[in-house]
Amino acid sequence: MRGRLLRAWREGVKAARGAAALPPWRVLFFGTDRFAVTALRALQAAREPSESSLVSRLEVVTLPSRLPGELPVRSCARELQLPVHEWPHTGPAGQFDVGVVASFGRLLSEDLILQFPYGVLNVHPSCLPRWRGPAPIIHTVLHGDKVTGVTIMEIRPKRFDVGPIIKQEEFAVPPRCTAKELEVVLSKMGANMLISVLRNLPESLKNKKEQPEEGVTFAPKISIAKSCVRWEEQTAAQVIQLHRAIGSVFPLQTLWKGTTVKLLDFVEVDDIPGFADQTLNDCGAVPGSLLYHKASQTLIARCKEGWVGIKGVVLKKKLTAIDFYNGYMHSWFQQKSRAVHQECRFQTLKLSTAKKTEREGNAVTEHKTIDVF
């Protein structure tokens, strides 16, 4: 009943406001980050004057930035010379045909949604209902999903990512893919799908379908505390997967002699030439134990199960593995280069320390990565 009433109401709004039945559309865009920028640029390109022009008017709503520097969408809008409104301000009411949301991170009220005769579309980088929430790409990589995709859905008030599906396409996640790499692919895919929907918007909306009730999973925001490697609890495979999922936003962290260290450029030990010949599983190593593989110039750290390679760290300044070895490990290994020394190890960084690190390193965070996992 509610759906029929809403459709009838929107038909009345379209007639009263002279809303177009065909493109070009008047579009109000809501977004913040790099993923959203790709969709915004696609909409701008669709404004180019031609017989097939899809967009006649384009304005932008973004969030106030709490971090140094501007949000990517605000910078892009300035470059494209588009009008920008700062949330919760959304510009003049009743002057747009359709809204478009991409990585906005705020619920839109029912009153706001109803201002758009064709509703509000959301470009979401997962195959809904899997990974509802603000960090779907990170959770896709973190959980080792083999297949993901993009969903164009209709926004509904009060809850995130529950609206009907307008268009959905799958994408096979490449092996060893990072969240940053996947974001680039899915942002382009989502932008192309959005343009496809806008080409025949009334028909696309007519064919929408509700999300299935089964298969629902959630992708909450990630906090910096997630970047603390738990050597006693995480296997080598889990550490590598964590690095691929969040390393571009929050470099993984640990403790070295009571000092926080950021870990860079992880490698799988199977990819280190000659390392497989070393017999290390029964050499007295404990989680966090460190060795140095001279031939490949790689630090080797013991996990709950297995070992991970590390090519660089940040300890006061950025250091290569050989710099770290020469400065902090060399004295232990002068006599026995392959021996494990109990004092030469990383230790798990606790949450209280991580909070201090977050305050010191806020410049590396992004808008959608500020909450507890």
Side-chain angles (χ1 to χ4, degrees), residues 94-111:
Q95 296 193 18
F96 298 93
D97 300 307
V98 63
V100 173
V101 169
S103 292
F104 188 58
R106 295 292 185 274
L107 284 171
L108 274 56
S109 69
E110 186 169 22
D111 288 344

Side-chain angles (χ1 to χ4, degrees), residues 177-195:
C177 184
T178 67
K180 186 175 182 179
E181 293 165 344
L182 189 58
E183 180 186 77
V184 172
V185 175
L186 296 184
S187 67
K188 293 176 182 177
M189 184 174 168
N192 291 336
M193 290 169 61
L194 173 64
I195 296 305

Side-chain angles (χ1 to χ4, degrees), residues 244-282:
R244 290 174 181 156
I246 70 171
S248 63
V249 179
F250 296 126
L252 302 196
Q253 301 183 89
T254 190
L255 280 179
W256 170 260
K257 307 302 176 189
T259 301
T260 301
V261 179
K262 293 180 180 178
L263 308 175
L264 312 175
D265 304 326
F266 282 78
V267 293
E268 298 182 42
V269 292
D270 289 346
D271 296 334
I272 300 174
F275 180 78
D277 296 333
Q278 298 189 30
T279 305
L280 295 172
N281 291 333
D282 299 319

Side-chain angles (χ1 to χ4, degrees), residues 267 269 271-278 291-300 310-311 321-322 325 337-338:
V267 293
V269 292
D271 296 334
I272 300 174
F275 180 78
D277 296 333
Q278 298 189 30
L291 292 172
Y292 178 67
H293 189 252
K294 188 174 180 180
S296 63
Q297 299 185 349
T298 307
L299 299 174
I300 311 292
I310 303 162
K311 303 293 283 187
I322 192 170
Y325 171 76
S337 62
R338 294 190 180 186

